[in-house]
Amino acid sequence: SQTIHQWPATLVQPVGSPLSLECTVEGTSNPNLYWYRQAAGRGLQLLFYSVGIGQISSEVPQNLSASRPQDRQFILSSKKLLLSDSGFYLCAWTDRASGRSYEQYFGPGTRLTVT
Amino acid sequence: SQKIEQNSEALNIQEGKTATLTCNYTNYSPAYLQWYRQDPGRGPVFLLLIRENEKEKRKERLKVTFDTTLKQSLFHITASQPADSATYLCALEATTDSWGKFQFGAGTQVVVTP
């Protein structure tokens, strides 16, 4: 069966510090991968998506970046965090082999607090 | 621009009753609409998908309708239970691209009291 991992689960970082969040998927190959951010009481904001290794599309201009160094690994980074980067970060994947159903499977999330 | 609206007010409902949630959208012609459940501090969990040519979809106590003329989906939880308390999100396919990109509503919180 497929599993998606995210770490760390929680993170407290000062403004201006770097960030690296990692997401890995097991039990599938060539998935579409997504990074979302959810502010308190808000919906999910799509940040980045990837259809393959090294292929990243950005949805929202910001100080964040994403990379996909391996087929089932997706990394979210920042060189200098802002207070507005605080939120709940979720990684998700879809199985393109399932056709157009595109059920999204989410990881457990990372709670980031920038102080 | 594309917009998705869900009732931001929490829905308080008594156990055993039917909860009905609304998802309205504008400037969209989505081929698919999904509903997810999210518990506090957790990632969303997929519940149901309905296609534009389907009027209704059921799964156990859940029922979803999709009216492309009204640009609206209704999500029903019948015989609600306290365990159904959660936030429910609707998601629409943002484009007709083949790889599947969805935009989410802000969600509606459901509170089922015994």
Side-chain angles (χ1 to χ4, degrees):
Chain A
S1 63
Q2 299 89 0
T3 310
I4 180 168
H5 302 279
Q6 279 187 252
W7 63 89
T10 60
L11 192 59
V12 180
Q13 292 283 94
V15 168
S17 64
L19 173 74
S20 181
L21 303 181
E22 189 164 342
C23 170
T24 59
V25 181
E26 297 178 353
T28 189
S29 59
N30 198 25
N32 290 331
L33 296 173
Y34 307 78
W35 277 113
Y36 291 90
R37 178 171 60 200
Q38 188 174 35
R42 304 287 295 275
L44 298 173
Q45 180 187 32
L46 179 62
L47 301 176
F48 300 94
Y49 64 88
S50 171
V51 298
I53 296 174
Q55 301 178 62
I56 309 294
S57 295
S58 174
E59 287 299 295
V60 181
Q62 57 216 331
N63 67 320
L64 300 173
S65 62
S67 62
R68 184 170 177 174
Q70 301 180 42
D71 180 47
R72 291 170 288 177
Q73 184 184 29
F74 207 20
I75 298 172
L76 183 69
S77 304
S78 174
K79 292 183 179 178
K80 290 185 178 181
L81 284 169
L82 307 173
L83 285 175
S84 58
D85 291 324
S86 294
F88 191 44
Y89 287 81
L90 288 156
C91 181
W93 71 276
T94 60
D95 181 3
R96 283 186 289 168
S98 66
R100 294 293 300 277
S101 64
Y102 293 118
E103 300 173 23
Q104 295 187 69
Y105 301 94
F106 286 85
T110 295
R111 177 75 59 189
L112 172 66
T113 303
V114 182
T115 60
Chain B
S1 62
Q2 298 163 331
K3 192 174 180 181
I4 303 170
E5 291 185 341
Q6 294 186 255
N7 194 339
S8 59
E9 292 184 12
L11 178 63
N12 291 283
I13 192 165
Q14 192 174 13
E15 183 175 8
K17 302 293 185 182
T18 296
T20 298
L21 309 178
T22 304
C23 176
N24 295 302
Y25 58 93
T26 57
N27 299 323
Y28 259 108
S29 295
Y32 297 83
L33 188 148
Q34 301 177 340
W35 283 90
Y36 290 78
R37 169 184 172 139
Q38 187 175 22
D39 292 289
R42 309 287 292 272
V45 175
F46 173 82
L47 296 175
L48 280 168
L49 175 146
I50 188 166
R51 294 173 173 79
E52 61 179 343
N53 60 352
E54 296 176 319
K55 296 297 182 185
E56 182 179 298
K57 200 80 169 280
R58 292 176 183 262
K59 179 182 177 182
E60 298 174 350
R61 295 183 295 108
L62 307 179
K63 185 179 84 172
V64 172
T65 63
F66 192 12
D67 190 325
T68 55
T69 301
L70 293 178
K71 293 186 181 296
Q72 180 181 78
S73 174
L74 299 179
F75 178 82
H76 306 271
I77 308 173
T78 60
S80 60
Q81 305 169 359
D84 295 326
S85 298
T87 296
Y88 293 86
L89 308 170
C90 70
L92 286 85
E93 187 182 45
T95 72
T96 55
D97 291 351
S98 62
W99 62 273
K101 171 182 164 184
F102 284 82
Q103 183 169 342
F104 283 80
T108 298
Q109 183 184 13
V110 173
V111 179
V112 182
T113 54

